Amino acid sequence: MPVKNVEEYINCHSYWEEELRQLHEMILTTELEPEIKWGAPVYTLDGKNVVGVGAFKNHSALWFFNGALLKDNTALLINAQEEKTKALRQIRFEKGEEINTSILLPYIQEAIQNQKEGKEIRPERDTGNKELAVPSQLAKAMEQDNALKEAFHSLTPGRQREYANYIAEAKMETTKLKRLEKISPLIKSRVGLHDKYRNC
């Protein structure tokens, strides 16, 4: 079931509850409004996304939708996907790591100020219809399994791309095949690769 509010999201991720709650309470001291978007807490200013928080397998994170524009507070920022992500930046926390609000709040306040000034990195518009590149391993599996093929094509383009990239990004053929074996039941269940992090 999709979560309806931040409290539900935190309850769904009990392992990271302490970290998520501290981040949430810190952000509530600012003028940002909490919402749920893409199954996770997002904090907005006049409807514009400024920061978000999330729980993942090995870390929790505070992310900035236009983090690449931060100039004064940058030391902790990382770009999770160097070649793909232009605007988004995040700060990661391992289990038990201190959430130091005196260090983190200036990042958020600068991000709020940037939003007030209308600074944002706009996504590049794709001028053509970018065709999905299905890895050969997945294409072959779908040729041999009609249920897999039908389920894959019933997914949203974004979910199809997640699965295709997951296999394509593996370097070795054996890893590609292991990943294919892992995702086949998920595809047949008609769920996305990352849905467990979006929903409870």
Side-chain angles (χ1 to χ4, degrees):
M1 291 285 293
V3 296
K4 297 184 182 69
N5 54 51
V6 177
E7 193 61 34
E8 280 189 18
Y9 182 87
I10 292 172
N11 290 337
C12 283
H13 298 86
S14 55
Y15 181 73
W16 295 103
E17 180 178 356
E18 188 178 342
E19 290 82 357
L20 291 172
R21 199 169 293 286
Q22 286 182 60
L23 289 169
H24 174 61
E25 288 173 1
M26 173 185 66
I27 299 168
L28 287 184
T29 66
T30 73
E31 59 203 283
L32 298 179
E33 294 289 331
E35 299 182 33
I36 293 291
K37 296 186 179 185
W38 309 287
V42 172
Y43 301 81
T44 63
L45 182 72
D46 298 328
K48 296 281 191 177
N49 304 331
V50 179
V51 299
V53 299
F56 301 90
K57 184 178 179 183
N58 298 315
H59 65 275
S60 56
L62 168 67
W63 69 81
F64 299 81
F65 284 88
N66 284 289
L69 295 176
L70 295 180
K71 302 294 183 200
D72 298 328
N73 300 283
T74 59
L76 300 177
L77 296 179
I78 62 167
N79 184 342
Q81 295 180 300
E82 286 290 347
E83 291 176 15
K84 295 181 182 177
T85 307
K86 291 196 172 162
L88 202 69
R89 296 291 183 272
Q90 61 179 257
I91 300 174
R92 291 181 177 177
F93 308 95
E94 294 182 1
K95 189 64 188 167
E97 189 174 342
E98 182 187 5
I99 307 293
N100 191 325
T101 56
S102 64
I103 291 175
L104 297 173
L105 267 175
Y107 284 79
I108 298 170
Q109 287 158 349
E110 185 184 350
I112 291 171
Q113 188 57 38
N114 283 346
Q115 187 60 59
K116 285 180 176 178
E117 293 173 9
K119 295 178 181 176
E120 59 181 293
I121 298 171
R122 296 187 181 279
E124 290 179 2
R125 296 288 174 197
D126 194 351
T127 50
N129 285 328
K130 195 174 180 183
E131 232 180 279
L132 177 67
V134 177
S136 59
Q137 297 81 1
L138 178 56
K140 186 176 179 182
M142 288 195 290
E143 280 176 19
Q144 298 169 349
D145 187 339
N146 277 333
L148 181 67
K149 182 178 181 180
E150 184 183 327
F152 182 80
H153 289 297
S154 75
L155 296 172
T156 62
R159 287 189 168 99
Q160 290 180 11
R161 190 161 277 108
E162 282 178 358
Y163 282 121
N165 289 343
Y166 182 64
I167 294 175
E169 286 166 1
K171 300 284 188 286
M172 298 173 62
E173 178 71 14
T174 51
T175 309
K176 289 178 190 285
L177 293 174
K178 277 182 187 173
R179 289 187 175 189
L180 175 62
E181 188 179 342
K182 176 185 170 182
I183 66 174
S184 292
L186 294 174
I187 294 172
K188 287 182 177 179
S189 299
R190 289 173 164 77
V191 297
L193 180 61
H194 304 299
D195 279 7
K196 66 179 178 180
Y197 297 117
R198 296 188 181 104
N199 302 328
C200 190

